[in-house]
PDB file of all heavy atoms in Angstrom:
ATOM      1  N   ASP E 232     -16.270  -9.832 -17.088  1.00  0.00           N
ATOM      2  CA  ASP E 232     -16.961 -10.157 -18.338  1.00  0.00           C
ATOM      3  C   ASP E 232     -17.052  -8.957 -19.276  1.00  0.00           C
ATOM      4  O   ASP E 232     -17.416  -9.097 -20.446  1.00  0.00           O
ATOM      5  CB  ASP E 232     -18.358 -10.743 -18.069  1.00  0.00           C
ATOM      6  CG  ASP E 232     -19.328  -9.745 -17.427  1.00  0.00           C
ATOM      7  OD1 ASP E 232     -19.056  -8.531 -17.392  1.00  0.00           O
ATOM      8  OD2 ASP E 232     -20.403 -10.194 -16.953  1.00  0.00           O
ATOM      9  N   GLY E 233     -16.721  -7.759 -18.789  1.00  0.00           N
ATOM     10  CA  GLY E 233     -16.715  -6.565 -19.625  1.00  0.00           C
ATOM     11  C   GLY E 233     -18.078  -6.013 -19.954  1.00  0.00           C
ATOM     12  O   GLY E 233     -18.194  -4.977 -20.609  1.00  0.00           O
ATOM     13  N   ARG E 234     -19.126  -6.678 -19.488  1.00  0.00           N
ATOM     14  CA  ARG E 234     -20.495  -6.236 -19.779  1.00  0.00           C
ATOM     15  C   ARG E 234     -21.239  -5.798 -18.518  1.00  0.00           C
ATOM     16  O   ARG E 234     -22.335  -5.239 -18.616  1.00  0.00           O
ATOM     17  CB  ARG E 234     -21.292  -7.370 -20.446  1.00  0.00           C
ATOM     18  CG  ARG E 234     -20.687  -7.888 -21.735  1.00  0.00           C
ATOM     19  CD  ARG E 234     -21.567  -8.968 -22.351  1.00  0.00           C
ATOM     20  NE  ARG E 234     -21.828 -10.061 -21.420  1.00  0.00           N
ATOM     21  CZ  ARG E 234     -21.016 -11.099 -21.238  1.00  0.00           C
ATOM     22  NH1 ARG E 234     -19.880 -11.176 -21.924  1.00  0.00           N
ATOM     23  NH2 ARG E 234     -21.333 -12.065 -20.386  1.00  0.00           N
ATOM     24  N   THR E 235     -20.639  -6.060 -17.360  1.00  0.00           N
ATOM     25  CA  THR E 235     -21.304  -5.779 -16.093  1.00  0.00           C
ATOM     26  C   THR E 235     -20.516  -4.737 -15.301  1.00  0.00           C
ATOM     27  O   THR E 235     -19.292  -4.850 -15.162  1.00  0.00           O
ATOM     28  CB  THR E 235     -21.433  -7.053 -15.257  1.00  0.00           C
ATOM     29  OG1 THR E 235     -22.142  -8.046 -16.009  1.00  0.00           O
ATOM     30  CG2 THR E 235     -22.173  -6.787 -13.958  1.00  0.00           C
ATOM     31  N   VAL E 236     -21.216  -3.734 -14.808  1.00  0.00           N
ATOM     32  CA  VAL E 236     -20.619  -2.691 -13.974  1.00  0.00           C
ATOM     33  C   VAL E 236     -21.391  -2.635 -12.658  1.00  0.00           C
ATOM     34  O   VAL E 236     -22.629  -2.639 -12.667  1.00  0.00           O
ATOM     35  CB  VAL E 236     -20.691  -1.307 -14.653  1.00  0.00           C
ATOM     36  CG1 VAL E 236     -19.900  -0.275 -13.847  1.00  0.00           C
ATOM     37  CG2 VAL E 236     -20.183  -1.369 -16.078  1.00  0.00           C
ATOM     38  N   TYR E 237     -20.659  -2.588 -11.545  1.00  0.00           N
ATOM     39  CA  TYR E 237     -21.292  -2.412 -10.238  1.00  0.00           C
ATOM     40  C   TYR E 237     -21.137  -0.950  -9.819  1.00  0.00           C
ATOM     41  O   TYR E 237     -20.034  -0.402  -9.841  1.00  0.00           O
ATOM     42  CB  TYR E 237     -20.658  -3.339  -9.203  1.00  0.00           C
ATOM     43  CG  TYR E 237     -20.742  -4.795  -9.586  1.00  0.00           C
ATOM     44  CD1 TYR E 237     -19.616  -5.497 -10.011  1.00  0.00           C
ATOM     45  CD2 TYR E 237     -21.959  -5.473  -9.545  1.00  0.00           C
ATOM     46  CE1 TYR E 237     -19.697  -6.829 -10.380  1.00  0.00           C
ATOM     47  CE2 TYR E 237     -22.054  -6.801  -9.917  1.00  0.00           C
ATOM     48  CZ  TYR E 237     -20.917  -7.483 -10.336  1.00  0.00           C
ATOM     49  OH  TYR E 237     -21.012  -8.800 -10.715  1.00  0.00           O
ATOM     50  N   LEU E 238     -22.248  -0.333  -9.462  1.00  0.00           N
ATOM     51  CA  LEU E 238     -22.271   1.062  -9.041  1.00  0.00           C
ATOM     52  C   LEU E 238     -22.626   1.137  -7.565  1.00  0.00           C
ATOM     53  O   LEU E 238     -23.703   0.680  -7.159  1.00  0.00           O
ATOM     54  CB  LEU E 238     -23.302   1.844  -9.865  1.00  0.00           C
ATOM     55  CG  LEU E 238     -23.653   3.254  -9.363  1.00  0.00           C
ATOM     56  CD1 LEU E 238     -22.440   4.175  -9.426  1.00  0.00           C
ATOM     57  CD2 LEU E 238     -24.826   3.822 -10.158  1.00  0.00           C
ATOM     58  N   LEU E 239     -21.728   1.708  -6.766  1.00  0.00           N
ATOM     59  CA  LEU E 239     -22.000   1.937  -5.345  1.00  0.00           C
ATOM     60  C   LEU E 239     -22.526   3.361  -5.176  1.00  0.00           C
ATOM     61  O   LEU E 239     -21.866   4.328  -5.566  1.00  0.00           O
ATOM     62  CB  LEU E 239     -20.728   1.758  -4.520  1.00  0.00           C
ATOM     63  CG  LEU E 239     -20.880   1.984  -3.010  1.00  0.00           C
ATOM     64  CD1 LEU E 239     -21.607   0.819  -2.364  1.00  0.00           C
ATOM     65  CD2 LEU E 239     -19.523   2.198  -2.358  1.00  0.00           C
ATOM     66  N   ASN E 240     -23.722   3.481  -4.601  1.00  0.00           N
ATOM     67  CA  ASN E 240     -24.324   4.778  -4.314  1.00  0.00           C
ATOM     68  C   ASN E 240     -24.145   5.108  -2.838  1.00  0.00           C
ATOM     69  O   ASN E 240     -24.611   4.372  -1.971  1.00  0.00           O
ATOM     70  CB  ASN E 240     -25.809   4.763  -4.668  1.00  0.00           C
ATOM     71  CG  ASN E 240     -26.037   4.643  -6.162  1.00  0.00           C
ATOM     72  OD1 ASN E 240     -25.483   5.414  -6.942  1.00  0.00           O
ATOM     73  ND2 ASN E 240     -26.846   3.673  -6.576  1.00  0.00           N
ATOM     74  N   GLU E 241     -23.464   6.229  -2.563  1.00  0.00           N
ATOM     75  CA  GLU E 241     -23.159   6.588  -1.179  1.00  0.00           C
ATOM     76  C   GLU E 241     -24.407   6.938  -0.379  1.00  0.00           C
ATOM     77  O   GLU E 241     -24.614   6.434   0.723  1.00  0.00           O
ATOM     78  CB  GLU E 241     -22.196   7.781  -1.155  1.00  0.00           C
ATOM     79  CG  GLU E 241     -21.892   8.274   0.253  1.00  0.00           C
ATOM     80  CD  GLU E 241     -20.915   9.420   0.282  1.00  0.00           C
ATOM     81  OE1 GLU E 241     -20.155   9.587  -0.701  1.00  0.00           O
ATOM     82  OE2 GLU E 241     -20.898  10.153   1.289  1.00  0.00           O
ATOM     83  N   LEU E 242     -25.253   7.823  -0.898  1.00  0.00           N
ATOM     84  CA  LEU E 242     -26.399   8.321  -0.133  1.00  0.00           C
ATOM     85  C   LEU E 242     -27.525   7.301  -0.032  1.00  0.00           C
ATOM     86  O   LEU E 242     -28.242   7.256   0.967  1.00  0.00           O
ATOM     87  CB  LEU E 242     -26.918   9.613  -0.761  1.00  0.00           C
ATOM     88  CG  LEU E 242     -25.923  10.780  -0.780  1.00  0.00           C
ATOM     89  CD1 LEU E 242     -26.513  11.966  -1.524  1.00  0.00           C
ATOM     90  CD2 LEU E 242     -25.535  11.175   0.642  1.00  0.00           C
ATOM     91  N   ALA E 243     -27.697   6.484  -1.056  1.00  0.00           N
ATOM     92  CA  ALA E 243     -28.713   5.435  -1.019  1.00  0.00           C
ATOM     93  C   ALA E 243     -28.219   4.188  -0.303  1.00  0.00           C
ATOM     94  O   ALA E 243     -29.015   3.327   0.071  1.00  0.00           O
ATOM     95  CB  ALA E 243     -29.151   5.072  -2.436  1.00  0.00           C
ATOM     96  N   ALA E 244     -26.888   4.091  -0.125  1.00  0.00           N
ATOM     97  CA  ALA E 244     -26.271   2.920   0.510  1.00  0.00           C
ATOM     98  C   ALA E 244     -26.719   1.640  -0.180  1.00  0.00           C
ATOM     99  O   ALA E 244     -27.242   0.708   0.456  1.00  0.00           O
ATOM    100  CB  ALA E 244     -26.572   2.876   2.004  1.00  0.00           C
ATOM    101  N   ASP E 245     -26.535   1.592  -1.493  1.00  0.00           N
ATOM    102  CA  ASP E 245     -26.874   0.382  -2.236  1.00  0.00           C
ATOM    103  C   ASP E 245     -25.884   0.170  -3.371  1.00  0.00           C
ATOM    104  O   ASP E 245     -25.052   1.035  -3.682  1.00  0.00           O
ATOM    105  CB  ASP E 245     -28.316   0.411  -2.743  1.00  0.00           C
ATOM    106  CG  ASP E 245     -28.615   1.545  -3.716  1.00  0.00           C
ATOM    107  OD1 ASP E 245     -27.686   2.055  -4.371  1.00  0.00           O
ATOM    108  OD2 ASP E 245     -29.798   1.934  -3.845  1.00  0.00           O
ATOM    109  N   ILE E 246     -25.977  -1.024  -3.963  1.00  0.00           N
ATOM    110  CA  ILE E 246     -25.134  -1.396  -5.094  1.00  0.00           C
ATOM    111  C   ILE E 246     -26.052  -1.766  -6.249  1.00  0.00           C
ATOM    112  O   ILE E 246     -26.902  -2.659  -6.121  1.00  0.00           O
ATOM    113  CB  ILE E 246     -24.225  -2.589  -4.764  1.00  0.00           C
ATOM    114  CG1 ILE E 246     -23.308  -2.248  -3.587  1.00  0.00           C
ATOM    115  CG2 ILE E 246     -23.396  -2.996  -5.985  1.00  0.00           C
ATOM    116  CD1 ILE E 246     -22.590  -3.450  -3.012  1.00  0.00           C
ATOM    117  N   GLU E 247     -25.902  -1.084  -7.361  1.00  0.00           N
ATOM    118  CA  GLU E 247     -26.665  -1.410  -8.564  1.00  0.00           C
ATOM    119  C   GLU E 247     -25.802  -2.233  -9.508  1.00  0.00           C
ATOM    120  O   GLU E 247     -24.623  -1.935  -9.710  1.00  0.00           O
ATOM    121  CB  GLU E 247     -27.113  -0.137  -9.276  1.00  0.00           C
ATOM    122  CG  GLU E 247     -28.063   0.735  -8.484  1.00  0.00           C
ATOM    123  CD  GLU E 247     -28.567   1.911  -9.302  1.00  0.00           C
ATOM    124  OE1 GLU E 247     -29.151   1.677 -10.381  1.00  0.00           O
ATOM    125  OE2 GLU E 247     -28.358   3.065  -8.863  1.00  0.00           O
ATOM    126  N   THR E 248     -26.375  -3.274 -10.072  1.00  0.00           N
ATOM    127  CA  THR E 248     -25.720  -4.034 -11.127  1.00  0.00           C
ATOM    128  C   THR E 248     -26.226  -3.493 -12.455  1.00  0.00           C
ATOM    129  O   THR E 248     -27.439  -3.522 -12.726  1.00  0.00           O
ATOM    130  CB  THR E 248     -26.024  -5.534 -11.016  1.00  0.00           C
ATOM    131  OG1 THR E 248     -25.597  -6.013  -9.733  1.00  0.00           O
ATOM    132  CG2 THR E 248     -25.299  -6.311 -12.107  1.00  0.00           C
ATOM    133  N   LEU E 249     -25.313  -2.971 -13.264  1.00  0.00           N
ATOM    134  CA  LEU E 249     -25.658  -2.347 -14.539  1.00  0.00           C
ATOM    135  C   LEU E 249     -25.089  -3.161 -15.696  1.00  0.00           C
ATOM    136  O   LEU E 249     -24.012  -3.756 -15.584  1.00  0.00           O
ATOM    137  CB  LEU E 249     -25.097  -0.924 -14.609  1.00  0.00           C
ATOM    138  CG  LEU E 249     -25.387   0.003 -13.419  1.00  0.00           C
ATOM    139  CD1 LEU E 249     -24.700   1.346 -13.636  1.00  0.00           C
ATOM    140  CD2 LEU E 249     -26.888   0.183 -13.240  1.00  0.00           C
ATOM    141  N   THR E 250     -25.825  -3.184 -16.804  1.00  0.00           N
ATOM    142  CA  THR E 250     -25.332  -3.818 -18.023  1.00  0.00           C
ATOM    143  C   THR E 250     -24.780  -2.747 -18.950  1.00  0.00           C
ATOM    144  O   THR E 250     -25.434  -1.726 -19.208  1.00  0.00           O
ATOM    145  CB  THR E 250     -26.454  -4.585 -18.737  1.00  0.00           C
ATOM    146  OG1 THR E 250     -26.899  -5.650 -17.897  1.00  0.00           O
ATOM    147  CG2 THR E 250     -25.955  -5.171 -20.054  1.00  0.00           C
TER     148      THR E 250
END
Side-chain angles (χ1 to χ4, degrees):
D232 66 13
R234 302 182 305 275
T235 303
V236 187
Y237 302 107
L238 168 64
L239 179 74
N240 292 308
E241 177 178 338
L242 298 176
D245 62 24
I246 300 168
E247 297 185 57
T248 302
L249 310 177
T250 296

